[in-house]
Amino acid sequence: MSTTTKDESEPVADLNPRSMTYEFLGPPGAFLISFGVPFMTYLLYFGCSEESGGCPPPLQSIPDRFVEALSDKTFWASLWDTEASLIYLGWYAFCVVAWAVLPGDWVEGVTMRTGEKKKYKINAFSTFLFAMGISCGYIVRNGPESFTFLYQKWIGFVTASLVMSLVQAFYVYASSYRTGALLALGGNSGNFIYDWYIGRELNPSIGSFDIKSFNELRPGLILWVLVNMSMVCEQAVRRGGFANVTDSIWVVLAFQTWYVADGLYNEPAIFTTMDITTDGFGFMLAVGDLTWVPFVYSLQARYLVFKPVELGLLRTAGILAFNLLGYYIFRDANGEKNDFRNGRNPKNLKYFTTSTGSKLLTSGWWGRSRHPNYFGDLLMAFAWSLPTGFDTPITYFYVVYFAVLLIHRQRRDDENCEKKYGEDWETYKKLVPYRIIPYVY
């Protein structure tokens, strides 16, 4: 089912020109982020956990404990957990087998530089339902204490996911040098550190198995929900059953499960995103998909295990309304975009036609800002942190990080559009002046 180049005789240099610009401050930035992301993942645990003594732990103790840990062989050994690693490997294998075995349509992505369209198997949502069914059945049969291992072996699972990310990053980098590989336009700089980090090959695959789109949707996103379920089970064990679990952690589980389910149900929409159409697959996406998503995005649920919060009906209703507002904006804006891209315009939205014939929406949500879906995303991110209360700023790390991420993506997209549309982009910006938040930014 995988595609090949349209014309095998076409010079490789024409399809894969040398990248002339850098992102993330080039090789030094790529090097620092490659260490910084794993470091921050561990830091968010040791800086916000029972083991460390709080969220955050006593500030005066941090320097001494940090120096002591660096020189302690026992600490370094504790980062590895063989049982957790085997469970993680089994989880990844389960996702691969589910992709191969469960039925699903094959859909085409966007047209690549070769003139071909890559085909993708659509069954992420059924994989999610399958995993949820097995997990829920396991918990019902064996009790909540049987599913607390993700909380108990947290660091071991983080390390296992990092190892998987590294293995994949080195594999796809090496395989990108095979004859006929289509490289990402931004990942062929010739600098090993940068290309390894940013992703040299556009769509690394093993047969019809597309590594990038698989990682984007399955092992990390679904594991995020399973991690949250493990947090609920841990709190249930401590508080004497599910009936005594706090409303706050149920709210976090519900919000984030719905978000993941919605993304997986609308799987085809991902194939028009920048991650799939433009970015290569390297350590940046590997560690983001496999480590950052399940083990950083679940920070709120993990915090609520050892710092339970009772919201009450009114606060729960308010947070629910806030999240629903964000979801409505996110989904309705994406619906407008997807309809328009597929030749439908049920709302009779206005648009601007460029000199190249491309059409850009200038009304509806896309008339309010150039990235209204990001605005909805940010509102939901804030709603996910609100159930933790305001005793610590650390549980709001996700909101700050996500805002930085989305602003960076917005700027990347604007730069690409400026190159693509030229003066027409300046005209479009006058019609739609706000970037993400209407009337603010």
Side-chain angles (χ1 to χ4, degrees):
M1 301 294 290
S2 59
T3 60
T4 57
T5 55
K6 187 174 183 179
D7 183 0
E8 295 293 344
S9 64
E10 188 170 2
V12 174
D14 291 344
L15 286 175
N16 298 324
R18 180 69 73 187
S19 304
M20 303 305 294
T21 59
Y22 285 127
E23 294 186 69
F24 304 104
L25 303 179
F31 179 81
L32 291 174
I33 297 173
S34 296
F35 281 95
V37 168
F39 177 78
M40 181 59 70
T41 306
Y42 286 121
L43 183 63
L44 285 171
Y45 176 79
F46 290 111
C48 185
S49 67
E50 291 174 293
E51 180 180 346
S52 64
C55 187
L59 298 180
Q60 64 273 16
S61 69
I62 292 177
D64 291 339
R65 293 175 65 178
F66 180 74
V67 173
E68 181 182 350
L70 291 179
S71 59
D72 185 1
K73 294 181 179 179
T74 304
F75 167 78
W76 291 104
S78 70
L79 300 181
W80 176 259
D81 185 318
T82 300
E83 184 179 6
S85 299
L86 291 174
I87 294 173
Y88 184 85
L89 184 61
W91 162 247
Y92 197 93
F94 166 84
C95 292
V96 174
V97 172
W99 172 88
V101 172
L102 294 178
D105 294 332
W106 289 85
V107 304
E108 292 183 337
V110 300
T111 303
M112 299 183 293
R113 299 195 305 278
T114 59
E116 295 287 322
K117 293 184 177 182
K118 191 173 179 63
K119 293 184 177 181
Y120 303 91
K121 189 177 183 181
I122 304 299
N123 65 1
F125 187 66
S126 56
T127 300
F128 170 71
L129 294 178
F130 189 31
M132 290 292 289
I134 293 174
S135 301
C136 290
Y138 182 81
I139 294 169
V140 169
R141 181 178 179 84
N142 300 291
E145 63 276 1
S146 67
F147 209 70
T148 61
F149 58 90
L150 285 165
Y151 182 83
Q152 301 294 340
K153 294 179 174 291
W154 184 272
I155 286 298
F157 282 107
V158 170
T159 302
S161 69
L162 284 171
V163 171
M164 177 65 79
S165 303
L166 286 165
V167 169
Q168 291 197 15
F170 281 111
Y171 170 78
V172 296
Y173 179 81
S175 67
S176 71
Y177 283 92
R178 73 186 186 282
T179 302
L182 182 64
L183 307 184
L185 291 177
N188 188 26
S189 70
N191 181 280
F192 163 72
I193 293 175
Y194 183 80
D195 294 347
W196 173 83
Y197 167 77
I198 204 74
R200 191 168 185 269
E201 186 173 357
L202 182 61
N203 297 301
S205 304
I206 301 175
S208 59
F209 178 74
D210 183 77
I211 298 173
K212 181 168 66 172
S213 62
F214 175 84
N215 280 341
E216 284 270 323
L217 289 172
R218 289 169 174 80
L221 271 179
I222 300 174
L223 183 58
W224 176 14
V225 175
L226 298 182
V227 166
N228 283 349
M229 289 170 58
S230 182
M231 304 303 105
V232 172
C233 287
E234 178 69 26
Q235 197 189 89
V237 170
R238 298 181 182 200
R239 295 173 68 89
F242 287 117
N244 299 317
V245 169
T246 58
D247 50 8
S248 58
I249 199 169
W250 282 122
V251 166
V252 170
L253 175 63
F255 285 175
Q256 296 183 348
T257 300
W258 179 261
Y259 182 81
V260 171
D262 178 78
L264 299 178
Y265 183 79
N266 293 284
E267 182 177 3
I270 195 177
F271 303 126
T272 60
T273 63
M274 184 178 294
D275 284 358
I276 301 297
T277 63
T278 305
D279 293 338
F281 183 76
F283 185 68
M284 179 181 74
L285 288 183
V287 75
D289 295 338
L290 302 180
T291 300
W292 194 258
V293 168
F295 299 110
V296 171
Y297 288 12
S298 55
L299 172 61
Q300 297 93 341
R302 185 169 60 78
Y303 171 82
L304 290 170
V305 170
F306 62 92
K307 291 288 186 178
V309 174
E310 291 287 358
L311 295 172
L313 184 60
L314 287 179
R315 284 199 291 175
T316 299
I319 294 171
L320 176 62
F322 198 81
N323 186 76
L324 288 175
L325 173 62
Y327 177 76
Y328 170 73
I329 296 173
F330 172 79
R331 179 49 53 210
D332 201 47
N334 279 331
E336 289 180 354
K337 178 181 66 175
N338 291 333
D339 281 341
F340 196 72
R341 282 181 171 176
N342 290 313
R344 301 186 298 270
N345 190 5
K347 295 184 178 181
N348 294 316
L349 300 176
K350 297 178 182 178
Y351 56 87
F352 168 68
T353 304
T354 68
S355 58
T356 61
S358 298
K359 298 176 181 179
L360 305 174
L361 285 172
T362 58
S363 67
W365 285 110
W366 299 89
R368 295 181 176 94
S369 77
R370 300 198 288 272
H371 297 276
N373 52 337
Y374 290 179
F375 178 43
D377 249 334
L378 286 172
L379 292 179
M380 285 189 286
F382 192 61
W384 298 349
S385 296
L386 286 174
T388 65
F390 298 99
D391 288 342
T392 176
I394 294 179
T395 54
Y396 290 82
F397 168 82
Y398 174 75
V399 185
V400 176
Y401 154 76
F402 206 49
V404 172
L405 173 70
L406 293 180
I407 290 172
H408 176 258
R409 285 187 174 182
Q410 167 261 310
R411 290 183 174 180
R412 286 181 69 195
D413 188 58
D414 281 9
E415 289 175 2
N416 289 334
C417 288
E418 186 175 5
K419 294 176 183 177
K420 181 177 180 180
Y421 300 120
E423 293 182 1
D424 286 332
W425 184 248
E426 295 301 320
T427 302
Y428 168 73
K429 287 198 296 183
K430 293 178 181 178
L431 296 172
V432 186
Y434 296 101
R435 299 174 176 90
I436 297 176
I437 304 176
Y439 311 110
V440 177
Y441 173 77

